[in-house]
Amino acid sequence: MSVDLNHTIVHARDNRESAEFFTRLLGLEITGEWGPFIAVALGNGVTLDFATIPADSITPQHYAFLVSEEEFTAAYARITERGIEHYADPQRKQPGTVNHNDGGRGVYFMDPSGHAMELITVPYGGWDA
């Protein structure tokens, strides 16, 4: 049996603000809008469907994205150019830097609705041999 994640809903204070923050940072595009959702497609066919809900109803989530070294470099440049607070660790104790876990690079930052976003260039545990 094959099971694939198709989409997930990302709660946002403002769905357009969050979708545009994400697309501008990662060089992606909004790929659809219907009902309360603004969709952004990822390279593996999964979409993030941003939905506006009351701010006090948002439970912060963690979203991690595997990107190429080139995509990481471009996104990290945008993070620093825009003055977005970022960290090498999920506990936010190493500000203003990236980590070098498993032979790659990683960075954590918050989106406009308080979700913890992570970019990594190598999956945790490294690449399969």
Side-chain angles (χ1 to χ4, degrees):
M1 177 193 323
S2 173
V3 178
D4 295 318
L5 179 64
N6 176 264
H7 69 277
T8 191
I9 296 171
V10 180
H11 291 165
R13 293 179 311 200
D14 178 316
N15 61 353
R16 182 155 309 278
E17 175 190 33
S18 290
E20 289 178 355
F21 171 86
F22 188 75
T23 58
R24 288 181 183 144
L25 197 64
L26 294 178
L28 299 172
E29 296 181 7
I30 290 173
T31 54
E33 297 184 41
W34 54 93
F37 305 110
I38 296 180
V40 176
L42 304 178
N44 58 352
V46 174
T47 63
L48 301 179
D49 297 347
F50 292 88
T52 300
I53 69 166
D56 62 354
S57 296
I58 296 173
T59 300
Q61 299 293 314
H62 173 76
Y63 298 94
F65 303 94
L66 181 62
V67 299
S68 70
E69 282 290 337
E70 295 77 21
E71 291 163 329
F72 187 95
T73 298
Y76 189 67
R78 292 180 195 112
I79 288 169
T80 57
E81 288 166 4
R82 295 176 182 161
I84 296 171
E85 287 186 31
H86 59 282
Y87 306 86
D89 62 309
Q91 298 82 17
R92 298 189 278 178
K93 295 185 184 214
Q94 299 174 53
T97 190
V98 302
N99 66 56
H100 297 277
N101 295 331
D102 296 309
R105 295 184 290 166
V107 67
Y108 296 83
F109 57 95
M110 306 303 279
D111 86 339
S113 295
H115 297 299
M117 303 297 214
E118 177 184 8
L119 304 178
I120 56 174
T121 61
V122 173
Y124 287 104
W127 296 106
D128 291 336

